[in-house]
Amino acid sequence: MNRAFNRKKDKSWMHTPEALAKHYIPYNVKFLGNTEVEAPKGTEVVKDAVRKLKFQRHIKKSEGQKTPKVELQISIYGVKILDLKTKDVQYNCQLHRISFCADDKTDKRIFTFICKDSESNKHLCFVFDSEKCAEEITLTIGQAFDLAYKKFLESGGKDVETRKQIGTLQKRIQELETENSELKQQLQDLEEQLMISHEPPAGSMSMKPPLSTDVFDMVPFSPATSLVPTPASNGCPPPPPTTLPPDIRKDLFGAEPFDPFTCGSADFPPDIQSKLDEMQEGFKMGLTLEGGRVLPGPAGQPLLMP
């Protein structure tokens, strides 16, 4: 293994200071994973981590799982590990937390670095497969570390504290965004449950209150309200009710139509009235059948006309 953190002036730096200070240097690599280590530095420490993660990756490969590809973004502020397709940040290793970086001289593809986790304060060793450019990536991290250390000396340590505060705030923002997404999902679930609870079951019919009926199981009759002419929507008064001409209100023989509810005894002509009187007298006496039998009126009384 080869250590990269010697703060001597190294004429073999590959990038300009501006590229690492104002931007970042990207590398596409395969991510073998990370594992906890006991010490923050040491060649043997990273060798054990590499052997462990290689063995785990070999098992996953036999199960059909491919090694994930990621993008490394190296700058004086740290090393970011992003998903190669979605560009989502998987890990953000601040540079002042990286304590060791090395590449494997026996395998030009493998390089590692050890970083102290900000939450658990445990040391994690990250291992990558870099397609024969492990030494270049190691030197890039070393150059970023050298530039960051010089900036630290120039600012008297204030810049590092500011970066720590910014990192803490960014972490808090991510936590709040995650919490906000969870609350939105819970609210959506509650709204869906509320809509389901108000929907009637499939195939059910809405029940209406039964109408009150009388003893004959009929709806009682309620007289309609008096019809009052209402003005039209355009403000004009309603048309007057239509009445038939007097000559049309007579029947075919020129007489007034018969109304049994309005006519009285004096309304009949004299010849008709005499016939009615004669019929009334006949009902009073009963009905004589053949053989001299007399049928009385209802309940043994003669039939009387009202």
Short mmCIF file of all heavy atoms in Angstrom, two decimals, residues 88-121:
data_model
loop_
_atom_site.label_atom_id
_atom_site.label_comp_id
_atom_site.label_asym_id
_atom_site.label_seq_id
_atom_site.Cartn_x
_atom_site.Cartn_y
_atom_site.Cartn_z
N ASP A 88 -27.71 10.89 -7.04
CA ASP A 88 -28.04 11.06 -5.63
C ASP A 88 -26.78 10.85 -4.78
O ASP A 88 -26.01 9.91 -5.03
CB ASP A 88 -29.12 10.07 -5.20
CG ASP A 88 -30.45 10.35 -5.86
OD1 ASP A 88 -30.68 11.51 -6.23
OD2 ASP A 88 -31.26 9.40 -6.00
N VAL A 89 -26.60 11.71 -3.78
CA VAL A 89 -25.42 11.61 -2.91
C VAL A 89 -25.63 10.48 -1.92
O VAL A 89 -26.56 10.51 -1.11
CB VAL A 89 -25.16 12.94 -2.17
CG1 VAL A 89 -23.95 12.80 -1.26
CG2 VAL A 89 -24.94 14.07 -3.17
N GLN A 90 -24.77 9.47 -1.99
CA GLN A 90 -24.84 8.35 -1.06
C GLN A 90 -24.02 8.61 0.20
O GLN A 90 -24.46 8.30 1.31
CB GLN A 90 -24.36 7.07 -1.75
CG GLN A 90 -25.22 6.67 -2.95
CD GLN A 90 -24.71 5.40 -3.63
OE1 GLN A 90 -23.64 4.87 -3.28
NE2 GLN A 90 -25.46 4.91 -4.61
N TYR A 91 -22.84 9.19 0.02
CA TYR A 91 -21.96 9.52 1.15
C TYR A 91 -21.29 10.86 0.86
O TYR A 91 -20.94 11.15 -0.30
CB TYR A 91 -20.88 8.45 1.38
CG TYR A 91 -21.42 7.08 1.72
CD1 TYR A 91 -21.63 6.12 0.72
CD2 TYR A 91 -21.73 6.74 3.03
CE1 TYR A 91 -22.14 4.87 1.02
CE2 TYR A 91 -22.24 5.48 3.34
CZ TYR A 91 -22.42 4.56 2.33
OH TYR A 91 -22.93 3.31 2.64
N ASN A 92 -21.12 11.64 1.91
CA ASN A 92 -20.40 12.92 1.81
C ASN A 92 -19.32 12.93 2.89
O ASN A 92 -19.58 13.25 4.04
CB ASN A 92 -21.37 14.09 1.97
CG ASN A 92 -20.70 15.43 1.72
OD1 ASN A 92 -19.55 15.49 1.27
ND2 ASN A 92 -21.39 16.51 2.04
N CYS A 93 -18.12 12.54 2.48
CA CYS A 93 -17.00 12.41 3.43
C CYS A 93 -16.21 13.72 3.44
O CYS A 93 -15.51 14.04 2.46
CB CYS A 93 -16.09 11.25 3.03
SG CYS A 93 -16.96 9.66 2.89
N GLN A 94 -16.38 14.49 4.50
CA GLN A 94 -15.65 15.75 4.61
C GLN A 94 -14.15 15.48 4.75
O GLN A 94 -13.73 14.51 5.40
CB GLN A 94 -16.17 16.55 5.80
CG GLN A 94 -17.63 16.95 5.66
CD GLN A 94 -18.16 17.68 6.88
OE1 GLN A 94 -17.48 17.77 7.90
NE2 GLN A 94 -19.37 18.19 6.77
N LEU A 95 -13.37 16.35 4.15
CA LEU A 95 -11.94 16.07 4.02
C LEU A 95 -11.23 16.01 5.37
O LEU A 95 -10.31 15.20 5.56
CB LEU A 95 -11.28 17.13 3.13
CG LEU A 95 -9.99 16.70 2.43
CD1 LEU A 95 -10.26 15.55 1.48
CD2 LEU A 95 -9.37 17.86 1.67
N HIS A 96 -11.66 16.84 6.33
CA HIS A 96 -10.98 16.83 7.63
C HIS A 96 -11.27 15.56 8.42
O HIS A 96 -10.62 15.31 9.44
CB HIS A 96 -11.37 18.07 8.44
CG HIS A 96 -12.81 18.08 8.88
ND1 HIS A 96 -13.82 18.52 8.06
CD2 HIS A 96 -13.39 17.69 10.03
CE1 HIS A 96 -14.98 18.42 8.69
NE2 HIS A 96 -14.74 17.92 9.89
N ARG A 97 -12.25 14.74 7.96
CA ARG A 97 -12.56 13.48 8.63
C ARG A 97 -11.84 12.29 7.98
O ARG A 97 -11.89 11.18 8.51
CB ARG A 97 -14.07 13.23 8.63
CG ARG A 97 -14.85 14.21 9.51
CD ARG A 97 -16.31 13.85 9.59
NE ARG A 97 -17.01 14.69 10.54
CZ ARG A 97 -17.10 14.47 11.84
NH1 ARG A 97 -16.51 13.38 12.35
NH2 ARG A 97 -17.75 15.29 12.63
N ILE A 98 -11.22 12.51 6.82
CA ILE A 98 -10.46 11.45 6.16
C ILE A 98 -9.07 11.40 6.77
O ILE A 98 -8.33 12.39 6.75
CB ILE A 98 -10.38 11.68 4.64
CG1 ILE A 98 -11.80 11.67 4.04
CG2 ILE A 98 -9.51 10.63 3.96
CD1 ILE A 98 -11.84 11.97 2.55
N SER A 99 -8.69 10.25 7.32
CA SER A 99 -7.43 10.11 8.04
C SER A 99 -6.39 9.30 7.29
O SER A 99 -5.20 9.35 7.63
CB SER A 99 -7.67 9.47 9.41
OG SER A 99 -8.32 8.20 9.26
N PHE A 100 -6.78 8.55 6.28
CA PHE A 100 -5.83 7.68 5.59
C PHE A 100 -6.35 7.39 4.19
O PHE A 100 -7.56 7.19 3.99
CB PHE A 100 -5.64 6.37 6.37
CG PHE A 100 -4.50 5.52 5.89
CD1 PHE A 100 -3.19 5.79 6.26
CD2 PHE A 100 -4.73 4.44 5.06
CE1 PHE A 100 -2.14 5.00 5.83
CE2 PHE A 100 -3.69 3.64 4.61
CZ PHE A 100 -2.39 3.93 5.00
N CYS A 101 -5.42 7.36 3.22
CA CYS A 101 -5.77 7.04 1.84
C CYS A 101 -4.63 6.24 1.23
O CYS A 101 -3.46 6.56 1.43
CB CYS A 101 -6.01 8.32 1.04
SG CYS A 101 -6.47 8.04 -0.67
N ALA A 102 -4.96 5.18 0.50
CA ALA A 102 -3.92 4.31 -0.05
C ALA A 102 -4.43 3.61 -1.29
O ALA A 102 -5.63 3.42 -1.47
CB ALA A 102 -3.47 3.29 0.99
N ASP A 103 -3.46 3.21 -2.15
CA ASP A 103 -3.77 2.38 -3.31
C ASP A 103 -2.95 1.10 -3.21
O ASP A 103 -1.88 1.07 -2.61
CB ASP A 103 -3.49 3.12 -4.60
CG ASP A 103 -2.05 3.57 -4.71
OD1 ASP A 103 -1.73 4.68 -4.23
OD2 ASP A 103 -1.23 2.80 -5.24
N ASP A 104 -3.48 0.05 -3.81
CA ASP A 104 -2.86 -1.27 -3.72
C ASP A 104 -1.85 -1.42 -4.85
O ASP A 104 -2.21 -1.37 -6.03
CB ASP A 104 -3.93 -2.35 -3.81
CG ASP A 104 -3.40 -3.72 -3.43
OD1 ASP A 104 -2.17 -3.88 -3.37
OD2 ASP A 104 -4.23 -4.61 -3.19
N LYS A 105 -0.56 -1.60 -4.47
CA LYS A 105 0.47 -1.74 -5.49
C LYS A 105 0.40 -3.08 -6.20
O LYS A 105 0.86 -3.20 -7.34
CB LYS A 105 1.86 -1.57 -4.84
CG LYS A 105 2.13 -0.17 -4.32
CD LYS A 105 1.99 0.86 -5.42
CE LYS A 105 2.25 2.26 -4.91
NZ LYS A 105 2.06 3.28 -5.97
N THR A 106 -0.20 -4.07 -5.57
CA THR A 106 -0.32 -5.37 -6.22
C THR A 106 -1.54 -5.44 -7.14
O THR A 106 -1.59 -6.26 -8.04
CB THR A 106 -0.42 -6.48 -5.16
OG1 THR A 106 -1.59 -6.25 -4.35
CG2 THR A 106 0.83 -6.48 -4.28
N ASP A 107 -2.51 -4.57 -6.91
CA ASP A 107 -3.72 -4.53 -7.75
C ASP A 107 -3.98 -3.06 -8.09
O ASP A 107 -4.45 -2.28 -7.25
CB ASP A 107 -4.91 -5.14 -7.01
CG ASP A 107 -6.12 -5.33 -7.91
OD1 ASP A 107 -6.14 -4.78 -9.03
OD2 ASP A 107 -7.06 -6.03 -7.49
N LYS A 108 -3.65 -2.68 -9.31
CA LYS A 108 -3.72 -1.28 -9.72
C LYS A 108 -5.15 -0.73 -9.73
O LYS A 108 -5.35 0.47 -9.86
CB LYS A 108 -3.12 -1.12 -11.13
CG LYS A 108 -1.65 -1.46 -11.20
CD LYS A 108 -0.81 -0.49 -10.39
CE LYS A 108 0.67 -0.78 -10.56
NZ LYS A 108 1.50 0.18 -9.78
N ARG A 109 -6.14 -1.59 -9.57
CA ARG A 109 -7.52 -1.13 -9.63
C ARG A 109 -8.06 -0.69 -8.27
O ARG A 109 -9.04 0.06 -8.21
CB ARG A 109 -8.43 -2.24 -10.17
CG ARG A 109 -8.05 -2.72 -11.56
CD ARG A 109 -8.91 -3.89 -11.96
NE ARG A 109 -8.85 -4.95 -10.95
CZ ARG A 109 -9.62 -6.03 -10.95
NH1 ARG A 109 -10.53 -6.19 -11.91
NH2 ARG A 109 -9.49 -6.95 -10.02
N ILE A 110 -7.48 -1.16 -7.19
CA ILE A 110 -8.06 -0.97 -5.86
C ILE A 110 -7.41 0.23 -5.16
O ILE A 110 -6.19 0.38 -5.14
CB ILE A 110 -7.86 -2.24 -5.00
CG1 ILE A 110 -8.50 -3.45 -5.69
CG2 ILE A 110 -8.47 -2.04 -3.60
CD1 ILE A 110 -9.99 -3.32 -5.92
N PHE A 111 -8.28 1.08 -4.58
CA PHE A 111 -7.80 2.12 -3.67
C PHE A 111 -8.82 2.29 -2.55
O PHE A 111 -10.01 1.96 -2.70
CB PHE A 111 -7.56 3.45 -4.39
CG PHE A 111 -8.80 4.26 -4.61
CD1 PHE A 111 -9.16 5.28 -3.74
CD2 PHE A 111 -9.62 4.02 -5.71
CE1 PHE A 111 -10.30 6.02 -3.95
CE2 PHE A 111 -10.75 4.76 -5.92
CZ PHE A 111 -11.11 5.77 -5.04
N THR A 112 -8.35 2.81 -1.42
CA THR A 112 -9.19 2.91 -0.22
C THR A 112 -8.91 4.22 0.50
O THR A 112 -7.87 4.86 0.28
CB THR A 112 -8.92 1.75 0.76
OG1 THR A 112 -7.58 1.89 1.27
CG2 THR A 112 -9.08 0.41 0.09
N PHE A 113 -9.84 4.61 1.35
CA PHE A 113 -9.58 5.67 2.32
C PHE A 113 -10.41 5.40 3.57
O PHE A 113 -11.45 4.76 3.51
CB PHE A 113 -9.85 7.07 1.76
CG PHE A 113 -11.28 7.34 1.39
CD1 PHE A 113 -12.21 7.74 2.34
CD2 PHE A 113 -11.71 7.23 0.07
CE1 PHE A 113 -13.53 8.00 2.01
CE2 PHE A 113 -13.03 7.49 -0.28
CZ PHE A 113 -13.94 7.88 0.69
N ILE A 114 -9.91 5.89 4.70
CA ILE A 114 -10.59 5.72 5.99
C ILE A 114 -11.17 7.06 6.40
O ILE A 114 -10.47 8.09 6.37
CB ILE A 114 -9.62 5.20 7.07
CG1 ILE A 114 -9.09 3.82 6.67
CG2 ILE A 114 -10.31 5.10 8.43
CD1 ILE A 114 -8.04 3.25 7.63
N CYS A 115 -12.44 7.06 6.78
CA CYS A 115 -13.15 8.29 7.16
C CYS A 115 -13.89 8.05 8.47
O CYS A 115 -14.45 6.97 8.68
CB CYS A 115 -14.12 8.70 6.06
SG CYS A 115 -15.06 10.19 6.42
N LYS A 116 -13.89 9.04 9.34
CA LYS A 116 -14.60 8.96 10.61
C LYS A 116 -16.05 9.40 10.41
O LYS A 116 -16.31 10.52 9.95
CB LYS A 116 -13.92 9.83 11.67
CG LYS A 116 -14.49 9.67 13.07
CD LYS A 116 -13.69 10.50 14.07
CE LYS A 116 -14.20 10.30 15.48
NZ LYS A 116 -13.44 11.12 16.46
N ASP A 117 -17.00 8.53 10.75
CA ASP A 117 -18.42 8.83 10.56
C ASP A 117 -18.84 9.93 11.53
O ASP A 117 -18.50 9.91 12.72
CB ASP A 117 -19.26 7.58 10.79
CG ASP A 117 -20.72 7.81 10.48
OD1 ASP A 117 -21.06 8.04 9.32
OD2 ASP A 117 -21.53 7.77 11.43
N SER A 118 -19.62 10.91 11.03
CA SER A 118 -20.02 12.06 11.84
C SER A 118 -21.06 11.71 12.88
O SER A 118 -21.19 12.41 13.89
CB SER A 118 -20.54 13.18 10.94
OG SER A 118 -21.66 12.72 10.19
N GLU A 119 -21.83 10.64 12.67
CA GLU A 119 -22.89 10.28 13.61
C GLU A 119 -22.40 9.29 14.67
O GLU A 119 -22.60 9.50 15.86
CB GLU A 119 -24.08 9.69 12.85
CG GLU A 119 -24.76 10.68 11.92
CD GLU A 119 -25.96 10.07 11.22
OE1 GLU A 119 -26.23 8.87 11.45
OE2 GLU A 119 -26.63 10.78 10.46
N SER A 120 -21.78 8.21 14.22
CA SER A 120 -21.38 7.17 15.17
C SER A 120 -19.95 7.34 15.68
O SER A 120 -19.55 6.64 16.62
CB SER A 120 -21.51 5.79 14.50
OG SER A 120 -20.66 5.70 13.37
N ASN A 121 -19.17 8.24 15.03
CA ASN A 121 -17.76 8.44 15.37
C ASN A 121 -16.94 7.16 15.17
O ASN A 121 -15.86 7.02 15.77
CB ASN A 121 -17.60 8.94 16.80
CG ASN A 121 -18.00 10.41 16.95
OD1 ASN A 121 -17.85 11.20 16.00
ND2 ASN A 121 -18.51 10.78 18.09
#
